[in-house]
Amino acid sequence: MDANDAKQGRINPEAWETPEMREALKRRNISEVYRQLRKHGVSQRQIAAMTGQSQSEVSEILKGRQVMAYEVLSRIAGGLKIPRGYMGLAYDPETEVQVVGGADEQQSEEDESVKRRKFLAHAAQVTMGAAVFGPTSDAWAASPARTPAPGRIGMTDVRQVEAATRALRALDYQYGGGFCRDAVVAQLSWGQQMLQASGTDLVKTRLFVALADLHSLAGWTSFDIGLIDSARGHFANALDLAKQGENHPLVANILYRMGRVYLHQDAPNDALKLFQLGQIAAQESGSELAVAVLCANEAWAYAMMGNGDQAIKLLGRTRDEFARADLANAESWVRFFNETDVYAMIGTVHTALAQHADLTHTKFAIPALTRAIDSYGDDMARSKTFSLSMLATNHMIDGDIDHGAKTGGKALDCAEGLKSARVEERMRPLKEEAARRSNNSDARELVERMNSFFA
């Protein structure tokens, strides 16, 4: 290549087309990418200048240091003018619509209740084979990306998708969907190309399940930052793929997650229908842990509707199913539901009942939430924030304003690093309870701090 190009911050586009370079880009092997650039006459100093890295960083990468962070990979691709699709980092606008669906603003003309009914119809059709709640929608987030696919895939390719999903899900739990959604969608656009490749039936079936799980994560991270239409599209695609992969526990998990979206929208009746469909899939799977997850969330829906008897009955079944569950051999997407989450859900259900004017439920909510909070680590910061907020709400309802304000402050501290639109919504009941007690200086100060935090 022309040495003057590199000096001026340009690399001949032909450098990206050699077989060695394309393979390195495909595997995101930045060490090899830099080595190939050196062969093309690009110096370490020039690479550093174009990527915004220090020369010592470039040197370490050349020596074999791996680059995994999506943000850094994206910056390197942009600085070196690498076609982003070669690294599976992004896609052209047409493919973006195929993978993600149109912008939420473009889909928002339809009434939300209509959208919920359409999704419920689709979920029923996937789960039961018949659209029992009305006609199914013709399209969700459109078809898989029509870009060149690998000729043939093996189990190693599928395991790479699974590993990426696990890593990105951990980031979502710790930092919120806003931190990793773009990376999830980029992985999804890359992974869906594999649907066009050939492979054994065993490999293709496992690929369906892996991509269903990745779509589910894309839906969850979209929901977490308030992109409800995008979330619905990803969950619908996830359902179809999980059904193709004949994985009933994953179908149940996807329905549980979409039901949570509707709980967040204060539509417990619609959420309950999805949880009940999920319960069918969970029972077909024979997974007691999946059944426990659905029971717990059905209990929450009933509590939001003020039906205490049904809520408490389902909490009891949650405990029973969890006690029978084979936790050691549970599949990855349901393994999150451990003893800590059981206590968190018990506290959540009793909190919802306490908010329906049955104040006696605070005496059950407070110890359950306290136990969950004590068990959450830094890797579950979002769940811990939600539980702290509910615990503070219960203390406020119980008349222990000082303790409630102190716990509410801890919830805000825990939320500090989260990129999640749900935090403000989940903390609104606490803010309302504190505002009702504004004659107390601690409660008043908490409201002021919340206003400042969410501004």
Side-chain angles (χ1 to χ4, degrees):
M1 67 175 287
D2 189 342
N4 288 326
D5 282 346
K7 289 179 180 178
Q8 296 173 26
R10 296 195 301 265
I11 294 176
N12 189 327
E14 293 180 3
W16 310 121
E17 303 303 329
T18 67
E20 296 83 5
M21 183 67 86
R22 288 297 294 271
E23 182 65 21
L25 292 171
K26 176 182 175 182
R27 297 185 179 280
R28 298 183 183 176
N29 184 346
I30 303 303
S31 297
E32 183 59 28
V33 170
Y34 284 4
R35 282 192 286 271
Q36 291 295 321
L37 288 178
R38 294 288 290 114
K39 291 179 181 179
H40 282 275
V42 185
S43 70
Q44 290 188 38
R45 178 178 296 179
Q46 290 160 349
I47 293 172
M50 284 186 273
T51 61
Q53 295 175 301
S54 67
Q55 287 190 56
S56 61
E57 284 182 287
V58 173
S59 177
E60 289 175 9
I61 291 170
L62 278 165
K63 292 176 182 176
R65 194 189 87 184
Q66 288 187 310
V67 178
M68 303 293 290
Y70 177 80
E71 181 182 351
V72 178
L73 290 167
S74 182
R75 190 171 72 241
I76 290 171
L80 298 176
K81 303 295 189 295
I82 301 170
R84 293 170 66 86
Y86 288 7
M87 296 173 67
L89 291 174
Y91 29 75
D92 56 41
E94 181 182 355
T95 304
E96 179 176 0
V97 172
Q98 288 179 329
V99 174
V100 186
D104 270 38
E105 291 78 8
Q106 296 172 330
Q107 301 181 35
S108 61
E109 295 177 5
E110 202 170 37
D111 184 75
E112 178 61 30
S113 63
V114 175
K115 294 175 185 176
R116 286 200 294 266
R117 287 197 296 273
K118 284 187 175 182
F119 185 90
L120 181 60
H122 179 75
Q125 190 169 34
V126 170
T127 309
M128 305 178 69
V132 297
F133 293 105
T136 187
S137 174
D138 292 332
W140 296 98
S143 56
R146 303 298 182 185
T147 52
R152 184 173 181 81
I153 59 171
M155 204 59 81
T156 298
D157 298 293
V158 180
R159 282 196 288 266
Q160 289 172 351
V161 176
E162 294 169 342
T165 304
R166 286 193 299 271
L168 290 166
R169 179 170 281 124
L171 291 174
D172 168 63
Y173 282 144
Q174 188 166 4
Y175 300 113
F179 184 82
C180 60
R181 178 182 178 270
D182 285 349
V184 175
V185 172
Q187 285 288 344
L188 187 56
S189 73
W190 182 255
Q192 288 210 168
Q193 296 179 74
M194 296 183 188
L195 290 172
Q196 309 303 319
S198 63
T200 65
D201 289 344
L202 183 63
V203 167
K204 294 303 286 282
T205 297
R206 185 159 166 178
L207 177 63
F208 290 144
V209 175
L211 291 179
D213 195 24
L214 189 54
H215 258 301
S216 181
L217 180 58
W220 191 251
T221 54
S222 297
F223 160 52
D224 200 45
I225 60 175
L227 300 179
I228 303 302
D229 284 324
S230 292
R232 191 177 357 246
H234 283 300
F235 284 131
N237 280 337
L239 273 179
D240 292 337
L241 286 163
K243 191 70 171 180
Q244 282 182 275
E246 299 181 350
N247 195 295
H248 295 298
L250 184 53
V251 169
N253 186 274
I254 295 162
L255 291 170
Y256 137 71
R257 291 185 183 278
M258 194 62 208
R260 288 288 286 267
V261 174
Y262 292 160
L263 287 185
H264 179 79
Q265 293 182 311
D266 199 24
N269 190 50
D270 288 329
L272 182 61
K273 291 172 184 175
L274 286 177
F275 295 147
Q276 289 168 339
L277 282 173
Q279 192 65 263
I280 294 171
Q283 291 176 12
E284 286 181 356
S285 75
S287 169
E288 290 88 355
L289 193 57
V291 172
V293 170
L294 270 301
C295 285
N297 283 275
E298 287 178 83
W300 190 359
Y302 276 117
M304 287 180 65
M305 292 187 284
N307 190 334
D309 290 341
Q310 275 293 92
I312 299 304
K313 178 181 177 181
L314 281 159
L315 277 185
R317 189 177 172 200
T318 300
R319 293 190 188 93
D320 293 342
E321 296 290 347
F322 181 81
R324 288 196 294 269
D326 182 4
L327 303 181
N329 295 308
E331 293 176 289
S332 59
W333 41 80
V334 75
R335 201 176 297 151
F336 75 92
F337 197 72
N338 54 26
E339 188 176 36
T340 300
D341 284 274
V342 172
Y343 281 106
M345 286 303 299
I346 292 170
T348 298
V349 171
H350 283 290
T351 300
L353 290 171
Q355 289 173 301
H356 274 84
D358 191 348
L359 306 187
T360 61
H361 285 277
T362 59
K363 67 181 180 182
F364 302 107
I366 289 173
L369 290 169
T370 300
R371 184 159 179 174
I373 290 164
D374 290 343
S375 299
Y376 279 131
D378 293 339
D379 58 333
M380 297 293 289
R382 183 175 55 201
S383 295
K384 187 173 183 178
T385 297
F386 293 165
S387 293
L388 280 166
S389 177
M390 286 187 289
L391 179 60
T393 302
N394 279 280
H395 283 305
M396 288 284 182
I397 293 173
D398 227 18
D400 192 353
I401 302 174
D402 294 346
H403 200 169
K406 183 178 179 181
T407 306
K410 290 180 180 179
L412 288 172
D413 291 339
C414 194
E416 193 67 46
L418 292 175
K419 292 178 173 60
S420 169
R422 285 193 292 154
V423 172
E424 183 174 7
E425 182 67 28
R426 290 291 295 271
M427 294 184 78
R428 183 170 292 134
L430 171 59
K431 184 178 176 181
E432 292 172 352
E433 292 295 338
R436 292 192 188 102
R437 297 157 177 81
S438 58
N439 59 324
N440 180 287
S441 60
D442 290 328
R444 191 164 56 248
E445 183 180 336
L446 177 62
V447 173
E448 291 171 356
R449 186 181 169 191
M450 293 177 81
N451 287 334
S452 175
F453 184 88
F454 294 117

